[in-house]
Structures are given as C-alpha cells and as structure tokens.
Amino acid sequence: MTGYLATMNKIIGICLILVLTAACRQPDKTGKEIVFPDKAVFTRLAKDTVPFETNRPAWKIVAYADTADCMGCKLYLDKWKMWMEGADAPDKDKAMFLFFLYPDDREELQFLLEGDEFDYPVCIDMDNRMGELNGFTADTYLLLAPENRVVLTGNPIADERTKRLYLERIEKKP
C-alpha cells in the first residue's frame, strides 16, 4: 500500500507541475498585429522626454513589463544595455527596441534606470495602455515584423537561443 501511495503522489505531483506550467505559458501571439498607444511618451532615465517613433518601418524588439513585483529582478536592464551596445546587437537601421514599462512605483523605476545608467528611451506606461490595447496580462517579449505583426515570442535576454532566433530573423538568415 505504501508503494502505491508513493507512486500516486509522484503522478499527482507530475500532473500538478504540468498544469502549472501550461497555466504560466502565454497564448501563441504569432501573426497577431500589435497596436501601440497613441502619443506614447518616451523618456530617458524617466526624466527627459525624447521624440521616439514607434511606427518606423523596421523590425521591433518589444519588451512589455508589468513591474508590480520585483522590478530589478525582472527587467535585467544591464543585460539589455549590454546586448544593445554589444557586437551581436541588431543593426540599428534594421531593428529598434521598444520598452513599455507598467510600474507600480514610478520613483523606484526611475532609481533603477539611473542606477543601471539605462539611457535608452522607455515608455513609462502608468495607465497600462500598451497592456490593455494588446491583452497583455504578464511580461511579454516580442519580435515584430516591420508591419507590427508578431514573428517570434520569448525573452531574448533570458534565453540565448531566443536571442539567436531574433537576430537570424532580423538578418533574414535561415
């Protein structure tokens, strides 16, 4: 009987892990057109407003983050900065980075941006317009074709394979 219970506990545990994993996955957004908020305001270091055109006809690497919990743990701004300034960065004429951040605490976000010297334009979306327009309910990372259709999903900072796929697609390599 004890062996039976141990086996059942393992099976229940495996089923629970599979259900939780499936619940955490985002639905496949490939092919979906992403809509950007009208008049999105981009700033540098959460202070200086800068002109930034979201509808430029280029590949777009979009990072949407709902930073209600641990901002520093989720954003990895230092890694984004290293990629954007590094040798494996996509050609600036072919691709652009769009950061839409929905913070719980704007001052904490500003502190993080300054601390990481993340001087790249970000949209601090206090009203979560980007999330509401596109049905984002969790952090979302997308590669968009020039016409704003989703080509790939996944965080290129957290996964080297995803980063490689983004770069191959932008460079149109098989």
Side-chain angles (χ1 to χ4, degrees):
M1 186 73 163
T2 340
Y4 174 77
L5 288 176
T7 303
M8 288 305 295
N9 282 339
K10 286 180 185 176
I11 291 171
I12 291 170
I14 290 169
C15 290
L16 184 59
I17 289 170
L18 291 173
V19 167
L20 290 174
T21 302
C24 293
R25 287 193 182 144
Q26 293 180 347
D28 183 18
K29 296 180 184 327
T30 306
K32 177 183 178 189
E33 182 177 358
I34 297 301
V35 179
F36 294 103
D38 289 336
K39 300 178 185 171
V41 176
F42 285 80
T43 62
R44 287 190 189 275
L45 300 173
K47 294 179 187 174
D48 301 321
T49 303
V50 293
F52 199 75
E53 180 58 46
T54 58
N55 289 319
R56 195 176 87 197
W59 290 90
K60 295 166 188 80
I61 298 168
V62 176
Y64 165 84
D66 174 351
T67 58
D69 2 325
C70 179
M71 272 191 245
C73 325
K74 293 171 82 173
L75 294 178
Y76 298 106
L77 295 173
D78 56 334
K79 291 182 180 181
W80 280 101
K81 186 177 172 181
M82 283 178 16
W83 183 30
M84 292 186 302
E85 295 173 356
D88 67 342
D91 183 318
K92 287 180 176 49
D93 291 330
K94 290 184 180 179
M96 59 192 295
F97 291 85
L98 296 170
F99 294 91
F100 287 86
L101 307 177
Y102 172 45
D104 188 40
D105 183 342
R106 184 183 173 93
E107 288 178 12
E108 183 182 354
L109 178 58
Q110 183 175 349
F111 177 78
L112 282 170
L113 292 167
E114 289 173 351
D116 284 334
E117 297 177 0
F118 194 79
D119 193 26
Y120 196 83
V122 300
C123 178
I124 300 174
D125 189 4
M126 294 301 294
D127 297 326
N128 194 26
R129 292 183 301 150
M130 181 70 167
E132 289 175 3
L133 281 170
N134 296 288
F136 297 157
T137 57
D139 296 351
T140 304
Y141 304 91
L142 308 166
L143 175 63
L144 304 182
E147 68 279 359
N148 296 337
R149 294 217 176 266
V150 177
V151 176
L152 294 170
T153 61
N155 187 343
I157 296 304
D159 180 40
E160 280 296 320
R161 182 177 175 273
T162 300
K163 181 193 290 186
R164 190 176 62 250
L165 289 172
Y166 275 40
L167 291 170
E168 287 172 358
R169 202 58 182 264
I170 291 166
E171 297 299 325
K172 298 194 177 179
K173 296 178 184 172

